Coordinates of all heavy atoms in Angstrom, one line a residue:
R29 N 81.4 79.5 -29.1 CA 79.9 79.7 -28.6 C 79.0 79.8 -29.8 O 77.9 79.2 -29.7 CB 79.9 81.0 -27.8 CG 78.5 81.1 -27.1 CD 78.5 82.4 -26.2 NE 77.4 82.5 -25.3 CZ 77.1 83.4 -24.5 NH1 78.0 84.5 -24.4 NH2 76.0 83.5 -23.8
M30 N 79.3 80.3 -30.8 CA 78.5 80.4 -32.0 C 78.3 78.9 -32.6 O 77.2 78.6 -33.0 CB 79.1 81.2 -33.1 CG 79.3 82.7 -32.9 SD 77.9 83.6 -32.2 CE 78.2 83.7 -30.5
R31 N 79.3 78.1 -32.5 CA 79.2 76.7 -33.1 C 78.3 76.0 -32.0 O 77.4 75.2 -32.4 CB 80.5 76.1 -33.2 CG 80.5 74.7 -33.6 CD 81.9 73.9 -33.4 NE 82.1 73.9 -32.0 CZ 83.4 73.4 -31.4 NH1 84.3 73.1 -32.2 NH2 83.5 73.3 -30.1
D32 N 78.6 76.0 -30.8 CA 78.0 75.2 -29.7 C 76.6 75.6 -29.4 O 75.7 74.7 -29.2 CB 78.9 75.2 -28.4 CG 80.3 74.6 -28.8 OD1 80.5 73.9 -29.7 OD2 81.1 74.9 -27.8
E33 N 76.2 76.9 -29.4 CA 74.9 77.3 -29.0 C 74.0 77.5 -30.1 O 72.7 77.4 -30.0 CB 75.0 78.6 -28.1 CG 75.8 78.3 -26.8 CD 75.7 79.6 -25.8 OE1 74.9 80.5 -26.1 OE2 76.4 79.5 -24.9
L34 N 74.5 78.0 -31.2 CA 73.8 78.4 -32.4 C 73.9 77.2 -33.4 O 73.0 77.3 -34.4 CB 74.2 79.7 -33.1 CG 74.1 80.9 -32.1 CD1 74.4 82.2 -32.9 CD2 72.8 81.1 -31.5
G35 N 74.8 76.3 -33.4 CA 75.0 75.2 -34.4 C 75.3 75.7 -35.7 O 75.1 75.0 -36.7
V36 N 76.0 76.9 -35.8 CA 76.4 77.4 -37.1 C 77.7 76.6 -37.6 O 78.4 76.1 -36.9 CB 76.7 78.9 -37.2 CG1 75.4 79.6 -36.8 CG2 77.8 79.2 -36.2
T37 N 77.8 76.5 -38.8 CA 79.0 76.0 -39.5 C 80.0 77.2 -39.8 O 79.6 78.2 -40.4 CB 78.7 75.4 -40.8 OG1 77.8 74.3 -40.7 CG2 79.9 74.8 -41.6
G38 N 81.2 77.1 -39.4 CA 82.1 78.2 -39.4 C 83.3 78.0 -40.2 O 83.8 76.9 -40.3
L39 N 83.7 79.0 -40.9 CA 85.0 79.0 -41.8 C 85.8 80.2 -41.3 O 85.4 81.3 -41.6 CB 84.7 78.9 -43.2 CG 85.9 79.0 -44.1 CD1 86.9 77.9 -43.8 CD2 85.5 79.0 -45.6
V40 N 87.0 80.0 -40.7 CA 87.9 81.1 -40.2 C 89.1 81.1 -41.1 O 89.7 80.0 -41.4 CB 88.2 80.8 -38.8 CG1 89.1 81.9 -38.3 CG2 87.1 80.6 -37.9
V41 N 89.4 82.2 -41.6 CA 90.7 82.4 -42.2 C 91.6 83.3 -41.3 O 91.2 84.3 -40.8 CB 90.7 83.0 -43.6 CG1 89.9 82.2 -44.6 CG2 90.1 84.5 -43.6
T42 N 92.8 82.8 -41.1 CA 93.6 83.4 -40.0 C 95.1 83.2 -40.3 O 95.4 82.0 -40.9 CB 93.3 83.1 -38.7 OG1 94.0 83.8 -37.6 CG2 93.3 81.5 -38.4
H43 N 96.0 84.0 -39.8 CA 97.4 83.5 -39.7 C 97.8 83.3 -38.2 O 99.1 83.1 -38.0 CB 98.3 84.6 -40.3 CG 98.2 86.0 -39.6 ND1 97.3 87.0 -40.1 CD2 98.8 86.5 -38.5 CE1 97.5 88.0 -39.3 NE2 98.4 87.8 -38.4
D44 N 96.9 83.4 -37.3 CA 97.2 83.2 -35.9 C 96.9 81.7 -35.6 O 95.8 81.2 -35.4 CB 96.1 84.1 -35.1 CG 96.2 84.0 -33.6 OD1 96.9 83.1 -33.2 OD2 95.7 85.0 -32.9
M45 N 98.0 80.9 -35.4 CA 97.9 79.5 -35.1 C 97.3 79.2 -33.7 O 96.7 78.2 -33.5 CB 99.2 78.8 -35.4 CG 99.6 78.6 -36.8 SD 98.4 77.9 -37.9 CE 98.1 76.3 -36.8
T46 N 97.6 80.1 -32.8 CA 97.1 79.9 -31.4 C 95.5 79.9 -31.5 O 94.9 79.1 -30.9 CB 97.6 80.9 -30.5 OG1 99.0 80.9 -30.4 CG2 97.1 80.8 -29.1
S47 N 95.0 80.9 -32.2 CA 93.6 81.0 -32.4 C 93.1 79.8 -33.2 O 92.1 79.2 -32.8 CB 93.2 82.3 -33.0 OG 91.8 82.3 -33.4
A48 N 93.7 79.4 -34.2 CA 93.2 78.3 -35.0 C 93.2 77.0 -34.1 O 92.2 76.2 -34.3 CB 94.1 78.1 -36.3
F49 N 94.1 76.8 -33.4 CA 94.1 75.6 -32.6 C 93.0 75.6 -31.6 O 92.5 74.5 -31.2 CB 95.4 75.4 -31.8 CG 96.6 75.0 -32.7 CD1 97.9 75.5 -32.6 CD2 96.4 73.8 -33.6 CE1 98.9 74.9 -33.4 CE2 97.4 73.3 -34.4 CZ 98.6 74.0 -34.3
R50 N 92.6 76.8 -31.1 CA 91.5 76.9 -30.1 C 90.1 76.6 -30.8 O 89.3 75.9 -30.2 CB 91.5 78.3 -29.5 CG 92.5 78.6 -28.5 CD 92.0 79.8 -27.7 NE 93.1 80.3 -26.9 CZ 93.8 81.5 -27.1 NH1 93.4 82.2 -28.1 NH2 94.7 82.0 -26.3
V51 N 89.9 77.2 -31.9 CA 88.6 77.2 -32.4 C 88.3 76.1 -33.5 O 87.0 75.8 -33.7 CB 88.2 78.7 -33.1 CG1 88.5 79.7 -32.0 CG2 88.9 78.8 -34.4
A52 N 89.2 75.5 -34.1 CA 88.9 74.8 -35.4 C 88.9 73.3 -35.1 O 89.5 72.8 -34.3 CB 90.1 75.0 -36.4
D53 N 87.9 72.7 -35.7 CA 87.8 71.2 -35.7 C 88.8 70.6 -36.8 O 89.3 69.5 -36.6 CB 86.4 70.7 -36.1 CG 85.4 71.3 -35.1 OD1 85.4 70.8 -33.9 OD2 84.4 72.0 -35.4
R54 N 89.1 71.4 -37.8 CA 90.1 71.0 -38.8 C 90.7 72.2 -39.4 O 90.1 73.3 -39.4 CB 89.3 70.2 -40.0 CG 89.0 68.7 -39.7 CD 88.5 68.0 -40.8 NE 87.4 68.7 -41.5 CZ 87.5 69.1 -42.8 NH1 88.5 69.1 -43.4 NH2 86.4 69.7 -43.3

């Protein structure tokens, strides 16, 4: 929602692949 509604550029660090697959473009 932050990406789509606010247009922010996001950088997520995580070890949770399920989450990474959901949120990341790359």
Side-chain angles (χ1 to χ4, degrees):
R29 190 175 185 182
M30 299 305 105
R31 181 195 66 188
D32 296 340
E33 295 188 18
L34 302 183
V36 297
T37 300
L39 178 56
V40 181
V41 300
T42 184
H43 60 264
D44 183 342
M45 285 306 306
T46 300
S47 178
F49 282 137
R50 282 197 195 111
V51 305
D53 299 297
R54 287 187 304 113

